[in-house]
Amino acid sequence: MSLGDVIGLGVFIIGIHVLSHYNYLLFHIAAELFSVFIAVTIGIIAVNCWQSIQNQYVLFIGVGYFFIGLLDVLHTLTYKGMPIFNDYDYYAPQFWIAARYLETFSMLLGLAFLGTSRRVNGLLTLGGFTLVTAWLVSAILYVKNFPVCFVAGHGLTPFKVISEYIICTLMLVNLALLHRRRHHFDPGVYRLIRLSVIMMILMELCFTLYVSDTMSDAINQTGHMLKIVAFYMIYKAVVVTGLRHPQHLLFRELSQKEAELETRVIERTQMLAKQSEKNLALLHNASDGITIMDRNANLIEVSDSFCDMLGYTREEMIGMNVTQWDCGFSTPEEMMAVVQRQFEQQTRALFETRHRRKDGSTYDVEISGYPIELEGTMVLFNSSRDITERKRAEQKLQLAANVFAHANEGIMVTTLGGVIVEINETFTRITGYSRDEVVGKTPSLLSSGRQSREFYASMWRALIDKGHWSGEIWNRHKSGEFYATMQTISAVRDAKGQTQQYVALFSDITPLKEHENKLEYIAHYDALTRLPNRVLLSDRLHQAMTQAMRRKNRLAVAFLDLDGFKTINDQHGHAVGDQVLVAMAARMRHALRDGDTLARLGGDEFVAVLLDLESFEASGPLLARLLDAASQPLKVDDLDIRLSASLGVTFFPQNQDVDADQLLRQADQAMYQAKLAGKNRYHVFDAELAQSVRGHHESLERLRQALNANEFVLHYQPKVHMRTGQVIGAEALIRWEHPTRGLLFPAQFLSVIEGHALSIHLGEWVLHHALTQIEQWRASGLDLKVSVNVGARQLQQADFAERLRVILAAHPEVRHGQLQLEVLETSALDDITWTANVIESCRKLGVTFSLDDFGTGYSSLTYLKRLPVVELKIDQSFVRNMLEDPDDLAILNGVIGLANAFNRQVIAEGVENVESGTLLLKLGCELAQGYGIARPMPGPEMPAWCLAWRPDPAWTQI
């Protein structure tokens, strides 16, 4: 029950309870009549909802309560104080007992039918209850063969009490059976009936205990109040069961109305006039979805195919409004306006819209509908056809038409015989021919004549075998100009796989071909001299070597370098230098034969490939002409320029197999020999001598591979202040983690690359990794200066300072002063002016210099003064022997004195024991590194070592 039911019932009970204190008869009448009203209402609901009440138990007690109410009316009318009957002590209790027995047996009878498939007949049930009630009324009023239930002044008789107990017992049986069959009930209905039965049992017990029928008997009043509650709960149970599904009732009524309308439609429509069942079957089995709706667009009838389209059952759709599934209009009002226009037009309407299925998906439909009269009412008869696939096909056709019309590629469609049947606008734009000019003709109209018959035969074979062909074709424009196309031809086949047509798509790639030629020229020719560059030289040299082997003759490779060209650039500028190179290239090219190749590698370096030599000696005149061409006076602007050339030459084939790159390297080496011999001459490469140094080159190549494979690592040896214990920096020392030989020290491999370009690459690798280590240390809280050794070849680069600036820029976390470069004294003195300028340029970048192995060279005080280094590093050979060799000690003392005199910092390397450090401190050298302090270690180990290191007490006490 709801809260409203509880409050209303409570107010009524309180009201009649108050009334009992003033007039018990009125209390009795009010209580009984309220119960009678509820009982009669229950019966009326049960009779009217006979078809909808499926629960046999509820049905029986619902009908029974109508007759129970009649008996309770007689009980009320015969009660003491009512003017109708005099013998109230007999009649009133008898009618009470009769009503309660009828109530009990109607419940038990309902339980007998509960859960069975038998449907109770309504007329038989009403007739049965009527006969039983009539018999009870007659037996009580006329026969009077029931014992007396109440004696005034004495109270209840044993018959009355025993009857009440029997009724309680039967109610308990009813309650137990209800519990066992509770699954047949709605949970709410079951709770109401169960509570009602409990209330009835308590009510019957109350009526076995009262002794009077006055307003002073509280038990009597309680019994009547329990009766009111019990009856009201039965009422609620019947109402919930009988009216639980009002939509179902409405659905049944609508179904009946729809059936009537359907009948009328069948009768009044020509198509369904005489064969209603057959036509109805046609309606429901039509391939198109059929709907019949009223002026409000509510569905009256629907075919099975339409239900299948939307995914609803027929029962779900009947009564639905068209706006519930039609989503092709922006608003429901717009949809309703279309429906109204269909009614108003009185003619067939045809339009497209979209429908929404039950699962939410949508599809396109075509609606064909017209209004018809049905039972005097105009309805709308619509046929709906799913046109989703048709729309998709239309979209594909439209897309294909748009692609055909607006594609950037020219499109041509031909028959199997190659006759053109259709083209697009791009075809006209590319070829110059209009549609009228080409339709009915063959593609040979466009032929340029550049492709051979074999080309076209191969194309047709591919079309027949594979169904497609793709490639480049040169065609002729209507104007006569040639143009290149990238073309794809495909066979169009039908469902049986038979070719019906051919479709060709092509695009004009003439600008690409022209650009490709330009790029190819740029890629293969020197932009300044227009001679072949290194790439084209390599290709021609490979071809020449193959040709020489096939013809069994010889070729020569001459590597030529202009003598003194750098001076021309430095003195007169690059513009003059470029003019000199162009003129020299032209002279030397004319000095060679037509089949020979002259290429420029870069700068003032040229290579000539001399073909078809019968002997090595036959190259002599050609080489002499090259040298002569290079040495002829040259006038550029107002300048008279005279140069010469150094030329190295090697020959092919040789006793051992050589490739093109080896030939170029041999000629390069021979050219350097010519320069060393005095320039303006040529030198022939000695293959036997080269073989003796081949091992050196192989070592260089292995080191290059190691660098590429990242096999090198850096270890770091700490630099310390021996007296204070401060770690002032570390020296980066390279190691090679050889995959088979283990960890190699610098002395085992650095000599191989000394003076070679590879030493520059390795030096820059060391710089990058040392700077990275500085950044990693800073991130972990260790701030150290790192010194890196720089070789002579690397230091002597013209752009050394600029390259160092770029390297530093890649490591922005490194502060000024954290990188120090160590240069050997001997390499620093090769060109003192150049070295001093480089050191000054690097100083501006925040990089300081240390002069390594000081004392091993032949420097003068003037050189030391001119070099802006901040530190002198004493060579370890002096430190190691100073305890035994007085000369070394004297040199060491002198170096320390020089450092102090020139205000240079001094550090000793090779400190291997405490005694060496002690002597250095006494001499005035406080900074040192060596195995006596720490061996070189990987970078990640440095922070822990710095935290743990302490100087020897002998050092701190000096």
Side-chain angles (χ1 to χ4, degrees), residues 585-771:
R587 285 182 178 182
M588 290 188 291
R589 181 69 195 87
H590 286 111
L592 299 178
R593 299 168 300 175
D594 289 339
D596 298 332
T597 295
L598 178 66
R600 181 190 177 207
L601 298 186
D604 58 349
E605 293 181 338
F606 298 84
V607 172
V609 180
L610 310 178
L611 304 177
D612 297 329
L613 300 177
E614 295 182 358
S615 63
F616 297 148
E617 293 76 9
S619 66
L622 294 174
L623 299 177
R625 283 159 54 183
L626 278 175
L627 291 176
D628 183 62
S631 62
Q632 292 296 319
L634 183 66
K635 190 172 184 64
V636 176
D637 296 334
D638 297 330
L639 299 174
D640 292 322
I641 296 173
R642 180 181 292 272
L643 296 174
S644 63
S646 297
L647 195 150
V649 63
T650 188
F651 298 97
F652 179 85
Q654 299 177 7
N655 293 332
Q656 294 186 350
D657 291 338
V658 290
D659 57 24
D661 289 339
Q662 288 177 293
L663 288 176
L664 289 174
R665 287 197 298 270
Q666 290 176 358
D668 187 15
Q669 293 177 28
M671 182 272 294
Y672 275 106
Q673 293 299 319
K675 281 189 176 292
L676 293 175
K679 304 178 183 179
N680 194 21
R681 67 192 64 218
Y682 69 85
H683 181 85
V684 177
F685 176 78
D686 189 341
E688 294 181 359
L689 178 62
Q691 185 175 357
S692 65
V693 297
R694 186 168 297 167
H696 177 76
H697 290 295
E698 291 175 353
S699 298
L700 279 173
E701 183 59 29
R702 180 63 187 92
L703 283 169
R704 183 180 289 105
Q705 293 173 3
L707 182 60
N708 294 334
N710 205 26
E711 294 178 4
F712 294 105
V713 295
L714 292 183
H715 284 192
Y716 297 86
Q717 186 173 43
K719 297 179 178 182
V720 301
H721 192 293
M722 292 184 290
R723 178 177 288 109
T724 65
Q726 179 186 1
V727 181
I728 62 169
E731 181 179 1
L733 300 170
I734 193 168
R735 301 288 189 266
W736 183 2
E737 288 185 330
H738 198 283
T740 58
R741 298 168 61 191
L743 192 68
L744 303 182
F745 287 85
Q748 296 174 272
F749 59 86
L750 282 186
S751 60
V752 176
I753 62 172
E754 186 175 349
H756 194 274
L758 183 59
S759 65
I760 298 174
H761 299 308
L762 186 60
E764 292 184 350
W765 180 92
V766 172
L767 283 171
H768 273 295
H769 283 70
L771 292 171

Side-chain angles (χ1 to χ4, degrees), residues 543-599:
Q543 294 181 21
M545 292 170 67
T546 302
Q547 180 178 327
M549 294 296 294
R550 184 169 57 249
R551 295 181 178 179
K552 296 184 178 180
N553 55 20
R554 297 170 177 80
L555 65 85
V557 177
F559 199 108
L560 184 146
D561 183 89
L562 297 178
D563 302 325
F565 179 75
K566 184 177 183 299
T567 304
I568 299 294
N569 265 341
D570 293 343
Q571 293 180 354
H572 305 294
H574 289 283
V576 172
D578 288 347
Q579 294 182 57
V580 170
L581 289 174
V582 171
M584 285 292 181
R587 285 182 178 182
M588 290 188 291
R589 181 69 195 87
H590 286 111
L592 299 178
R593 299 168 300 175
D594 289 339
D596 298 332
T597 295
L598 178 66

Side-chain angles (χ1 to χ4, degrees), residues 717-722 728 731 787 820 822 850-854 871-882 888 891-893 895-896 899 904-913 915-934 955:
Q717 186 173 43
K719 297 179 178 182
V720 301
H721 192 293
M722 292 184 290
I728 62 169
E731 181 179 1
S787 59
Q820 185 179 66
E822 296 187 6
S850 173
L851 201 57
D852 195 12
D853 293 350
F854 188 76
E871 182 182 83
L872 303 179
K873 177 178 280 191
I874 302 173
D875 185 64
Q876 59 182 336
S877 61
F878 302 125
V879 176
R880 188 179 298 115
N881 299 321
M882 68 178 179
D888 285 343
I891 293 173
L892 190 63
N893 197 12
V895 170
I896 295 173
R904 303 286 195 270
Q905 194 176 53
V906 65
I907 183 172
E909 62 178 354
V911 176
E912 297 182 355
N913 50 58
E915 292 76 11
S916 298
T918 301
L919 182 55
L920 285 168
L921 286 170
K922 291 178 180 179
L923 293 174
C925 178
E926 298 176 323
L927 308 181
Q929 67 182 95
Y931 284 6
I933 298 170
W955 295 350

Side-chain angles (χ1 to χ4, degrees), residues 12 54 77 81 96 102 106 147 179 242 275 310 337 407 427 514 578 767 777 949:
F12 178 76
Q54 301 299 319
L77 294 175
W96 172 271
L102 183 62
S106 66
H179 181 72
Q275 300 180 2
L310 291 178
F427 178 97
E514 293 173 352
D578 288 347
L767 283 171
W777 282 340
W949 186 76

Side-chain angles (χ1 to χ4, degrees), residues 353-377:
T353 181
R354 289 187 68 80
H355 283 177
R356 181 184 291 108
R357 298 186 180 90
K358 185 178 181 179
D359 61 9
S361 60
T362 61
Y363 63 98
D364 294 297
V365 292
E366 181 182 71
I367 304 293
S368 173
Y370 54 90
I372 62 173
E373 185 176 348
L374 189 65
E375 290 286 331
T377 303

Side-chain angles (χ1 to χ4, degrees), residues 66-88:
F66 178 81
F67 296 96
I68 294 166
L70 295 178
L71 292 175
D72 280 340
V73 168
L74 292 173
H75 164 71
T76 305
L77 294 175
T78 58
Y79 196 73
K80 180 181 179 180
M82 299 297 289
I84 300 175
F85 297 96
N86 294 326
D87 194 3
Y88 64 86

